[in-house]
């Protein structure tokens, strides 16, 4: 925010590097790639690390270039996007950019019912099962958590059950 020219230039170079990677990877491996995964951690437990306005101004145009490049080379494939934390304020923008699958749906950072309502039929969700429950157990509690998330997020499809963040 203090150095917008530098930030714009750096973000642009990072986007250029990602685009070059995907152009090369999909040129070489495109026939066997069904899902392209991109990741940027935007969220904390309570909100985004940057404002939605800054995301819209700085990152969204770069992601549009990146995702458009991937989509052009992977027409029948899927774009899988990972961001830890609360990304509620940019989910609609991610869908507009063509993200097909959002990961990891941290239970402690997101309103999962609202995310499912907003994304249903437009974006698949992956994750949502509390990793804290997974680590603490017992097995019955884990099974109950999985069952709850399957009903909550996957009753009508569009859900890949999994942990809400990486497991140690």
């Amino acid at each position: 925010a203090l150095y917008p020219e530098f930030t714009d230039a750096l973000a642009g170079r990072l986007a250029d590097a990602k685009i070059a990677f995907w152009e090369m990877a999909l040129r070489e491996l495109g026939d066997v790639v069904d899902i392209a995964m991109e990741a940027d951690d935007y969220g904390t437990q309570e909100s985004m690390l940057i404002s939605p306005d800054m995301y819209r101004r700085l990152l969204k145009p770069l992601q549009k270039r990146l995702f458009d490049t991937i989509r052009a080379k992977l027409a029948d494939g899927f774009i899988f996007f990972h961001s830890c934390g609360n990304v509620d304020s940019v989910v609609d923008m991610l869908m507009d950019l063509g993200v097909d699958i959002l990961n990891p749906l941290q239970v402690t950072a997101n309103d999962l019912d609202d995310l499912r309502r907003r994304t249903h039929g437009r974006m698949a969700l992956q994750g949502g099962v509390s990793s804290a429950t997974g680590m603490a157990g017992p097995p019955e509690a884990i099974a109950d958590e999985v069952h709850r998330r399957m009903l909550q997020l996957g009753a009508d499809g569009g859900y890949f059950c999994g942990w809400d963040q990486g497991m140690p």
Side-chain angles (χ1 to χ4, degrees):
L2 295 175
Y3 305 99
E5 289 177 18
F6 172 78
T7 304
D8 289 350
L10 178 61
R13 290 191 65 172
L14 290 170
D16 291 343
K18 286 183 172 198
I19 289 168
F21 165 80
W22 281 111
E23 286 176 334
M24 179 207 57
L26 294 173
R27 181 177 55 250
E28 299 295 323
L29 302 170
D31 294 345
V32 297
V33 176
D34 294 318
I35 298 175
M37 180 181 175
E38 270 298 315
D40 281 309
D41 285 341
Y42 294 145
T44 70
Q45 291 290 11
E46 297 177 6
S47 65
M48 295 271 292
L49 290 165
I50 62 173
S51 73
D53 286 339
M54 184 173 278
Y55 170 84
R56 186 177 295 106
R57 183 193 68 77
L58 177 65
L59 299 176
K60 186 179 177 189
L62 300 174
Q63 281 187 317
K64 179 168 178 23
R65 283 182 38 223
L66 173 62
F67 295 156
D68 285 353
T69 298
I70 293 170
R71 183 69 64 208
K73 308 277 188 206
L74 192 66
D76 295 328
F78 300 95
I79 296 175
F80 179 106
F81 185 73
H82 164 92
S83 178
C84 288
N86 183 315
V87 293
D88 180 69
S89 60
V90 296
V91 164
D92 292 320
M93 287 184 262
L94 292 171
M95 287 188 290
D96 291 343
L97 289 169
V99 171
D100 299 298
I101 306 165
L102 178 64
N103 159 277
L105 302 182
Q106 281 183 255
V107 175
T108 56
N110 293 286
D111 179 341
L112 299 185
D113 289 322
D114 183 60
L115 275 175
R116 174 72 297 174
R117 181 188 57 73
R118 290 171 51 208
T119 61
H120 189 67
R122 294 184 63 202
M123 175 190 286
L125 303 176
Q126 193 276 325
V129 176
S130 170
S131 56
T133 301
M135 290 187 296
E140 297 79 19
I142 298 168
D144 183 55
E145 172 85 7
V146 168
H147 182 74
R148 259 194 334 273
R149 296 301 171 232
M150 292 295 291
L151 291 175
Q152 177 185 28
L153 300 171
D156 296 318
Y159 175 61
F160 299 90
C161 189
W163 301 116
D164 70 348
Q165 51 193 316
M167 294 287 282

